[in-house]
Amino acid sequence: MTEVERQLRDMLSRYAYDAPAGHLMLSRVRQAAVRRRRRRRAVATGGAALALVLAASGAATLAARPAPIQPKLSMGLGQDVAGVNFAAGSPVDLTFPFTPPAAPVPGTRPMLTLVAGRPTLQYLPAEAEDTQSRTNPPVLPTGTRLPMVGSDAAGAAVLPSDGPSASPQAGQFTTGQPGTNSATTDSATADPATTDSATTDPVTVVVSGSPWDDGPFTAAIKVRSTTVHGIVGVIGERPSPAGPPDYVLTWTERGGPWVGVSAPETISTVDLTDFASALSPQPVTQPGPFDFDLVPADFAVDNISPSTVTFRPPGVAASSDFVDKLVVSMDAEPARMQGDRPVKVGARAGWLHVVDNVVMLRIDEGDGRSLTVQAPERLRIDQPDLLRFAAGVHITAAAVPARG
Amino acid sequence: MDFAEFVMARTPALLRFGYLLTGDGHLAEDLVQEALVRVHRRWSGIEHQDGPEPYVRKAILHQYLSWRRRRSSTELPVDQLPEAPDPAPAVERIVDRDEMWSLLATLPRAQRAVVVLRYYEDLADADIALMLGCTQGTVRVHAFKALKRLRVALTDPAVVGAGHDRG
């Protein structure tokens, strides 16, 4: 054996263990087998139905919505690999199981998102979250269908927010305001002037369908117990790269989800508990940034923000990133980039390019905004299907262009 | 062994094989998944033969060799290898394993498959020929060309450049 052969053998042995573990392989195989059986049946029945229609009428009829797209093959593996099925779309809305209390920190505004499949409520600095002006936003009754924060240029209803004249409400932190909650002793330094919401983590509520085994609060160290909604919860501490450590409060609703609230440690644990207790267990629904005529069947929606929706294919773990997902986003910038290939997306103009094995389709909305549909090649969505999917994406009034 | 037991037990090894062929974890998963889906349909017939693993590995191999080229533009336009220098300098050279891994990606697929089967799976040329459906002479030619190409590249990296064919 030569030296090159020896090195080759050593290298292969070493790199072999960089291979993925394949924990989900069995479920992936079973899902693929089911999809393939469905596809074979669909092809068989579709062919028969088509023959029947043609024989009866001799003419095609246009449906209001595009017909579901049958799986096709394009890039990637060989001829028998299943592609992506598209089905008629339904609203991609976000439901949060609690009505958000008033903003706990002055100058912040609540925003609902879906992050890695988990409904998430964050109180962000108003100016950072939304540059549009609002005056006297009305407080909505619970259970109301809410618009996406940042969407109401005309001053439509928004999530309840604090205002200069707002009086303290349950769950609203009163730090730094004399004559208020006497229990906020350990937050005496956290008045609005020193509680710089731009340099600390925002108050965040995350709802999960499963315990925090890999969730955002696992790094917390338990420090004490407390009670929320009559249920014992745990307050812990978690280091924060943004500034002081965060307090995190977690509990499990009776028969319901796991809930976690995090806030900068400049906010007292008493106020944190009060805020958590003020989460009224009445769900609110917020529209997503896009309507979809078609959605990828069997995919899960795992992220919704005011500018982005991601669809996660089977076998891909929920996460907050875009890796291996079908992504739709809106930007406040021109669609056309140099070197892109022009295409028609319904009645709109679009441009295609591929970078790092990801197909990027930008669509000009004609008003200075653009849509981007991002599809990894490994999803094997061929170009006609991608264009049909993109043609069925409509920006709603709730959408806010992505920044940066 | 039923299908589920086989998948649970052998997936890591099959993925290692797929990963060495493709150099990409996602593609390796796709390869193995596709092979297992095919095997799943015929499991009752396969498990009573020589065992399903050779069949699955063969399916993985053929799937890999029949892929449509996705990144053919990055293939190396080296039809004629330059005159091979004396291999001694390459042999004496201390080669970084990462460099060798990168060079592996520049090999044509059949050559890479032979390299993996011969130097990772430790298969004899006769067995490799059976898996690939070719003669032993063809296997030896693939191996010879692959090793020659690697030696040349290790001696003169400019021959290969930075292009990788991972797909």
Side-chain angles (χ1 to χ4, degrees), chain B residues 129-151:
Chain B
L130 275 177
M131 285 194 77
L132 291 176
C134 63
T135 65
Q136 291 186 51
T138 303
V139 171
R140 283 195 287 272
V141 168
H142 283 319
F144 172 78
K145 287 185 175 178
L147 292 172
K148 182 177 178 182
R149 192 166 188 164
L150 294 174
R151 280 196 197 96

Side-chain angles (χ1 to χ4, degrees), chain A residues 17-392:
Chain A
Y17 286 92
D18 289 345
H23 296 307
L24 299 175
M25 183 58 70
L26 184 58
S27 62
R28 282 181 59 169
V29 169
R30 284 174 168 160
Q31 286 173 353
V34 168
R35 278 201 302 274
R36 198 159 300 180
R37 276 199 300 274
R38 284 180 186 157
R39 188 178 55 175
R40 282 197 295 267
R41 278 201 293 266
V43 168
T45 56
L50 180 64
L52 211 66
V53 168
L54 290 177
S57 66
T61 303
L62 293 176
R65 285 189 165 191
I69 296 174
Q70 295 302 319
K72 294 179 182 175
L73 302 171
S74 61
M75 301 152 279
L77 302 179
Q79 297 179 350
D80 293 328
V81 176
V84 175
N85 270 313
F86 286 89
S90 56
V92 178
D93 292 343
L94 174 60
T95 297
F96 194 72
F98 301 98
T99 299
V105 176
T108 61
R109 184 182 296 279
M111 184 172 80
L112 297 184
T113 55
L114 188 72
V115 180
R118 290 174 170 138
T120 300
L121 165 68
Q122 281 191 312
Y123 287 85
L124 299 174
E127 65 278 11
E129 169 268 314
D130 181 11
T131 56
Q132 299 170 0
S133 62
R134 293 189 184 86
T135 55
N136 302 320
V139 175
L140 295 176
T142 56
T144 304
R145 183 179 168 87
L146 297 171
M148 180 74 83
V149 170
S151 65
D152 56 337
V158 297
L159 290 170
S161 174
D162 61 305
S165 60
S167 57
Q169 302 177 38
Q172 186 168 24
F173 300 154
T174 54
T175 52
Q177 298 179 22
T180 57
N181 190 348
S182 60
T184 59
T185 51
D186 58 307
S187 61
T189 60
D191 62 39
T194 57
T195 306
D196 184 354
S197 55
T199 57
T200 58
D201 290 328
V203 175
T204 303
V205 184
V206 180
V207 178
S208 174
S210 57
W212 307 113
D213 52 348
D214 61 345
F217 301 134
T218 48
I221 303 166
K222 177 182 174 181
V223 292
R224 69 194 73 175
S225 298
T226 188
T227 302
V228 180
H229 299 162
I231 300 162
V232 175
V234 174
I235 294 177
E237 271 186 358
R238 181 184 59 182
S240 166
D246 288 343
Y247 278 134
V248 299
L249 166 55
T250 58
W251 75 97
T252 307
E253 290 285 310
R254 288 188 185 85
W258 281 256
V259 187
V261 183
S262 66
E265 208 178 46
T266 48
I267 292 167
S268 76
T269 57
V270 173
D271 283 348
L272 181 62
T273 301
D274 287 347
F275 170 78
S277 300
L279 285 163
S280 171
Q282 298 193 40
V284 292
T285 300
Q286 174 177 287
F290 311 115
D291 282 339
F292 296 91
D293 290 343
L294 297 170
V295 292
D298 302 325
F299 281 42
V301 177
D302 71 343
N303 290 284
I304 304 175
S305 78
S307 63
T308 306
V309 172
T310 70
F311 295 93
R312 173 172 57 85
V316 172
S319 67
S320 60
D321 59 40
F322 294 176
V323 178
D324 293 337
K325 298 171 189 171
L326 181 62
V327 181
V328 179
S329 61
M330 186 185 73
D331 301 282
E333 61 184 25
R336 186 170 190 177
M337 306 290 278
Q338 192 165 9
D340 292 356
R341 186 160 60 84
V343 290
K344 291 293 289 182
V345 184
R348 293 172 288 182
W351 288 269
L352 269 172
H353 77 276
V354 179
V355 56
D356 292 338
N357 295 336
V358 175
V359 179
M360 305 285 285
L361 170 60
R362 296 181 195 275
I363 305 152
D364 188 4
E365 290 295 304
D367 57 2
R369 300 182 301 177
S370 64
L371 269 178
T372 299
V373 178
Q374 173 179 320
E377 286 183 324
R378 70 184 302 264
L379 293 182
R380 298 178 198 84
I381 303 172
D382 65 12
Q383 184 175 314
D385 287 353
L386 185 66
L387 296 180
R388 291 182 70 191
F389 169 70

Side-chain angles (χ1 to χ4, degrees), chain B residues 73-152:
Chain B
S73 61
T74 62
E75 282 283 309
L76 301 170
V78 183
D79 292 334
Q80 294 293 325
L81 287 169
E83 191 67 27
D86 183 334
V91 172
E92 291 168 6
R93 182 176 172 180
I94 299 173
V95 180
D96 179 60
R97 284 170 173 163
D98 291 335
E99 186 182 1
M100 182 71 94
W101 176 251
S102 299
L103 291 173
L104 193 65
T106 69
L107 296 179
R109 292 175 187 218
Q111 291 180 19
R112 180 169 180 152
V114 167
V115 164
V116 171
L117 292 168
R118 196 191 240 194
Y119 298 108
Y120 178 71
E121 299 288 343
D122 278 331
L123 292 182
D125 287 352
D127 296 325
I128 296 173
L130 275 177
M131 285 194 77
L132 291 176
C134 63
T135 65
Q136 291 186 51
T138 303
V139 171
R140 283 195 287 272
V141 168
H142 283 319
F144 172 78
K145 287 185 175 178
L147 292 172
K148 182 177 178 182
R149 192 166 188 164
L150 294 174
R151 280 196 197 96
V152 169

